[in-house]
Amino acid sequence: MSPREICAAIQTAEWDAAKLMRQPHDILAESKTDHRDLVTQYDRAVQELLMERLSAALPGARFFCEENDRHDDLQAEHLFIIDPIDGTMNFVRRLNHSAISVAYTRFGRVEAAAVYNPYVDEMFSAVRGEGAFLNGKPIHVDPAPLGETVICFGSAPYNPELTERTFELARRSYLTGLDVRRQGSAALDLCSVAAGRAGAYFELSISLWDYAAGALIVSEAGGQVTRVDGSPLPWTGAKTSVLAAEAGKAAEFLEMAK
Ligand code: LIP
């Protein structure tokens, strides 16, 4: 299967899995690492359906997933990185802003990705070297200077030791840009940058499954995703900070963050 065919298979699986998320009843939330790090029966059901469909599409594929600790070798020939519901807190609080995020990697490099927001029926996708799309239409990062954009950020809620620094950067972002937004889904924040809706997105600690798909979509939309100090993202599965923006605005952000 080509990366383009795999991207199509990811999208079909996400559309199907999203049916599980619509009109949820009696959401049963459990805490994982702490009281803010939640998982529900819907996260598990979406992940299970995605794994079943993607294994059928690409037999023998490996998986690196947020739920049930399925962390296969990141250098595998065929691997899917899955966040079944990115923005679980929003899902539990019925804030209607969450996404299904899946990246496909080949020998440790993301080759295809899709992030689906079922609440507004928006499918963001990308295949390496072929551009980024929203519902099939090309998208591109905003070329405007940082001061003329809205800046998204994540509050790294599982890492309270980062709260001070996070909100200092958010304060500086507020003073620098038009406004700030903390929307609660890293994957959708990355896609907002890719679509030119937000000028930048930063978060001081997120997991690989939160950003793997969105990072390809941003880069294929003409942007870049690095750590928040400008250094390259790690490919180890460890948590990392992220900064997503078009190169000029990334440089402005790094200056602002000093
Ligand atoms: C969440 C991210 C969010 C971040 C949270 C968490 P989850 O993903 O999308 O931006 O602030 O720490 O990582 O846990 O809902 O899949």
Tab-separated table of all heavy atoms in Angstrom, residues 146 165 168-173 175-176 202 204 227-230 243 249-258:
chain	number	residue	atom	x	y	z
A	146	LEU	N	3.623	37.307	13.963
A	146	LEU	CA	3.012	36.762	15.177
A	146	LEU	C	2.003	37.732	15.784
A	146	LEU	O	0.937	37.328	16.255
A	146	LEU	CB	4.111	36.427	16.201
A	146	LEU	CG	3.751	35.460	17.328
A	146	LEU	CD1	3.330	34.096	16.783
A	146	LEU	CD2	4.942	35.306	18.276
A	165	ARG	N	5.795	28.467	34.180
A	165	ARG	CA	6.427	28.791	32.891
A	165	ARG	C	5.367	28.843	31.781
A	165	ARG	O	5.395	29.724	30.915
A	165	ARG	CB	7.493	27.739	32.582
A	165	ARG	CG	8.186	27.914	31.232
A	165	ARG	CD	9.208	29.018	31.249
A	165	ARG	NE	9.937	29.106	29.976
A	165	ARG	CZ	10.229	30.256	29.368
A	165	ARG	NH1	9.861	31.400	29.923
A	165	ARG	NH2	10.874	30.287	28.221
A	168	GLU	N	3.419	32.059	32.050
A	168	GLU	CA	4.264	33.220	31.719
A	168	GLU	C	4.378	33.327	30.198
A	168	GLU	O	4.230	34.405	29.615
A	168	GLU	CB	5.655	33.083	32.355
A	168	GLU	CG	6.672	34.130	31.911
A	168	GLU	CD	6.203	35.579	32.100
A	168	GLU	OE1	5.261	35.828	32.889
A	168	GLU	OE2	6.768	36.466	31.405
A	169	LEU	N	4.567	32.176	29.521
A	169	LEU	CA	4.633	32.193	28.048
A	169	LEU	C	3.274	32.585	27.468
A	169	LEU	O	3.192	33.318	26.476
A	169	LEU	CB	5.053	30.824	27.520
A	169	LEU	CG	6.539	30.485	27.640
A	169	LEU	CD1	6.794	29.050	27.197
A	169	LEU	CD2	7.388	31.464	26.819
A	170	ALA	N	2.194	32.135	28.121
A	170	ALA	CA	0.850	32.507	27.637
A	170	ALA	C	0.634	34.013	27.807
A	170	ALA	O	0.066	34.678	26.943
A	170	ALA	CB	-0.212	31.726	28.395
A	171	ARG	N	1.125	34.547	28.921
A	171	ARG	CA	0.989	36.001	29.161
A	171	ARG	C	1.744	36.778	28.078
A	171	ARG	O	1.206	37.726	27.473
A	171	ARG	CB	1.546	36.366	30.545
A	171	ARG	CG	1.358	37.820	30.955
A	171	ARG	CD	2.036	38.137	32.285
A	171	ARG	NE	3.487	38.123	32.139
A	171	ARG	CZ	4.194	39.177	31.682
A	171	ARG	NH1	3.565	40.292	31.297
A	171	ARG	NH2	5.511	39.119	31.571
A	172	ARG	N	2.980	36.355	27.801
A	172	ARG	CA	3.771	37.046	26.770
A	172	ARG	C	3.115	36.889	25.396
A	172	ARG	O	3.066	37.815	24.589
A	172	ARG	CB	5.189	36.489	26.732
A	172	ARG	CG	5.984	36.751	27.994
A	172	ARG	CD	7.419	36.303	27.849
A	172	ARG	NE	8.113	36.267	29.133
A	172	ARG	CZ	9.429	36.043	29.242
A	172	ARG	NH1	10.170	35.863	28.150
A	172	ARG	NH2	10.000	35.986	30.433
A	173	SER	N	2.551	35.693	25.147
A	173	SER	CA	1.855	35.456	23.867
A	173	SER	C	0.654	36.389	23.748
A	173	SER	O	0.394	36.976	22.702
A	173	SER	CB	1.393	34.001	23.778
A	173	SER	OG	2.505	33.131	23.831
A	175	LEU	N	0.284	39.306	25.125
A	175	LEU	CA	0.749	40.684	24.905
A	175	LEU	C	1.309	40.871	23.491
A	175	LEU	O	1.253	41.953	22.927
A	175	LEU	CB	1.810	41.056	25.952
A	175	LEU	CG	1.308	41.122	27.404
A	175	LEU	CD1	2.478	41.317	28.364
A	175	LEU	CD2	0.256	42.224	27.573
A	176	THR	N	1.822	39.765	22.923
A	176	THR	CA	2.465	39.848	21.598
A	176	THR	C	1.443	39.708	20.456
A	176	THR	O	1.501	40.435	19.465
A	176	THR	CB	3.531	38.745	21.457
A	176	THR	OG1	4.479	38.881	22.515
A	176	THR	CG2	4.228	38.804	20.110
A	202	PHE	N	1.962	26.292	21.368
A	202	PHE	CA	3.046	25.711	22.167
A	202	PHE	C	2.450	24.936	23.339
A	202	PHE	O	1.339	25.202	23.804
A	202	PHE	CB	4.008	26.798	22.683
A	202	PHE	CG	3.464	27.623	23.837
A	202	PHE	CD1	3.632	27.206	25.158
A	202	PHE	CD2	2.792	28.816	23.598
A	202	PHE	CE1	3.128	27.961	26.222
A	202	PHE	CE2	2.284	29.577	24.655
A	202	PHE	CZ	2.446	29.148	25.971
A	204	LEU	N	4.309	22.736	26.926
A	204	LEU	CA	5.606	22.399	27.526
A	204	LEU	C	5.778	20.906	27.789
A	204	LEU	O	6.896	20.453	28.075
A	204	LEU	CB	5.839	23.198	28.814
A	204	LEU	CG	5.938	24.711	28.620
A	204	LEU	CD1	6.381	25.390	29.906
A	204	LEU	CD2	6.870	25.081	27.478
A	227	ARG	N	10.850	21.486	19.434
A	227	ARG	CA	10.650	21.690	20.861
A	227	ARG	C	10.487	23.197	21.075
A	227	ARG	O	10.797	24.005	20.181
A	227	ARG	CB	11.870	21.194	21.638
A	227	ARG	CG	12.013	19.681	21.768
A	227	ARG	CD	13.088	19.395	22.801
A	227	ARG	NE	13.288	17.989	23.100
A	227	ARG	CZ	14.281	17.266	22.575
A	227	ARG	NH1	15.101	17.777	21.686
A	227	ARG	NH2	14.437	15.997	22.940
A	228	VAL	N	10.086	23.581	22.266
A	228	VAL	CA	9.769	24.999	22.497
A	228	VAL	C	11.049	25.846	22.558
A	228	VAL	O	10.983	27.079	22.543
A	228	VAL	CB	8.906	25.157	23.773
A	228	VAL	CG1	9.750	25.156	25.022
A	228	VAL	CG2	7.997	26.381	23.682
A	229	ASP	N	12.225	25.193	22.552
A	229	ASP	CA	13.488	25.962	22.482
A	229	ASP	C	14.037	25.969	21.046
A	229	ASP	O	15.150	26.425	20.797
A	229	ASP	CB	14.538	25.376	23.439
A	229	ASP	CG	14.922	23.931	23.069
A	229	ASP	OD1	14.405	23.418	22.041
A	229	ASP	OD2	15.718	23.333	23.807
A	230	GLY	N	13.273	25.402	20.109
A	230	GLY	CA	13.705	25.399	18.709
A	230	GLY	C	14.468	24.161	18.294
A	230	GLY	O	14.769	23.975	17.107
A	243	LEU	N	6.590	23.447	19.774
A	243	LEU	CA	6.292	24.781	19.241
A	243	LEU	C	5.990	24.599	17.764
A	243	LEU	O	6.831	24.078	17.015
A	243	LEU	CB	7.486	25.734	19.414
A	243	LEU	CG	7.374	27.078	18.663
A	243	LEU	CD1	6.183	27.894	19.154
A	243	LEU	CD2	8.672	27.878	18.803
A	249	LYS	N	7.497	33.087	12.331
A	249	LYS	CA	6.799	33.277	13.628
A	249	LYS	C	7.448	32.413	14.710
A	249	LYS	O	7.477	32.801	15.882
A	249	LYS	CB	5.323	32.933	13.480
A	249	LYS	CG	4.540	34.030	12.800
A	249	LYS	CD	3.051	33.839	12.905
A	249	LYS	CE	2.539	32.837	11.905
A	249	LYS	NZ	2.761	33.238	10.511
A	250	ALA	N	8.019	31.288	14.343
A	250	ALA	CA	8.723	30.466	15.341
A	250	ALA	C	9.906	31.257	15.882
A	250	ALA	O	10.147	31.307	17.093
A	250	ALA	CB	9.183	29.153	14.710
A	251	ALA	N	10.608	31.951	14.990
A	251	ALA	CA	11.757	32.766	15.424
A	251	ALA	C	11.279	33.903	16.335
A	251	ALA	O	11.884	34.198	17.369
A	251	ALA	CB	12.484	33.324	14.203
A	252	GLU	N	10.164	34.517	15.967
A	252	GLU	CA	9.607	35.587	16.818
A	252	GLU	C	9.244	35.035	18.195
A	252	GLU	O	9.487	35.655	19.231
A	252	GLU	CB	8.344	36.162	16.172
A	252	GLU	CG	8.547	37.045	14.964
A	252	GLU	CD	7.209	37.651	14.523
A	252	GLU	OE1	6.797	38.668	15.097
A	252	GLU	OE2	6.582	37.068	13.611
A	253	PHE	N	8.658	33.831	18.202
A	253	PHE	CA	8.236	33.239	19.485
A	253	PHE	C	9.452	32.972	20.366
A	253	PHE	O	9.457	33.267	21.567
A	253	PHE	CB	7.459	31.934	19.237
A	253	PHE	CG	6.903	31.325	20.503
A	253	PHE	CD1	5.603	31.589	20.891
A	253	PHE	CD2	7.698	30.515	21.302
A	253	PHE	CE1	5.091	31.049	22.067
A	253	PHE	CE2	7.194	29.976	22.478
A	253	PHE	CZ	5.891	30.238	22.869
A	254	LEU	N	10.507	32.416	19.745
A	254	LEU	CA	11.720	32.077	20.522
A	254	LEU	C	12.319	33.332	21.138
A	254	LEU	O	12.760	33.338	22.289
A	254	LEU	CB	12.736	31.367	19.626
A	254	LEU	CG	12.311	29.968	19.143
A	254	LEU	CD1	13.314	29.413	18.130
A	254	LEU	CD2	12.149	29.015	20.328
A	255	GLU	N	12.275	34.434	20.379
A	255	GLU	CA	12.771	35.730	20.897
A	255	GLU	C	11.916	36.161	22.076
A	255	GLU	O	12.406	36.536	23.135
A	255	GLU	CB	12.694	36.757	19.748
A	255	GLU	CG	13.532	37.994	19.943
A	255	GLU	CD	14.989	37.718	20.318
A	255	GLU	OE1	15.595	36.759	19.779
A	255	GLU	OE2	15.488	38.449	21.203
A	256	MET	N	10.607	36.042	21.911
A	256	MET	CA	9.651	36.465	22.954
A	256	MET	C	9.829	35.627	24.229
A	256	MET	O	9.683	36.096	25.347
A	256	MET	CB	8.227	36.274	22.412
A	256	MET	CG	7.113	36.546	23.385
A	256	MET	SD	5.554	35.857	22.771
A	256	MET	CE	5.742	34.135	23.250
A	257	ALA	N	10.186	34.344	24.025
A	257	ALA	CA	10.228	33.406	25.161
A	257	ALA	C	11.507	33.532	25.979
A	257	ALA	O	11.629	32.945	27.057
A	257	ALA	CB	10.099	31.972	24.632
A	258	LYS	N	12.494	34.281	25.445
A	258	LYS	CA	13.786	34.352	26.155
A	258	LYS	C	13.624	34.941	27.569
A	258	LYS	O	12.795	35.863	27.728
A	258	LYS	CB	14.751	35.257	25.363
A	258	LYS	CG	15.490	34.483	24.261
A	258	LYS	CD	16.479	35.368	23.561
A	258	LYS	CE	17.129	34.580	22.408
A	258	LYS	NZ	17.582	35.464	21.339
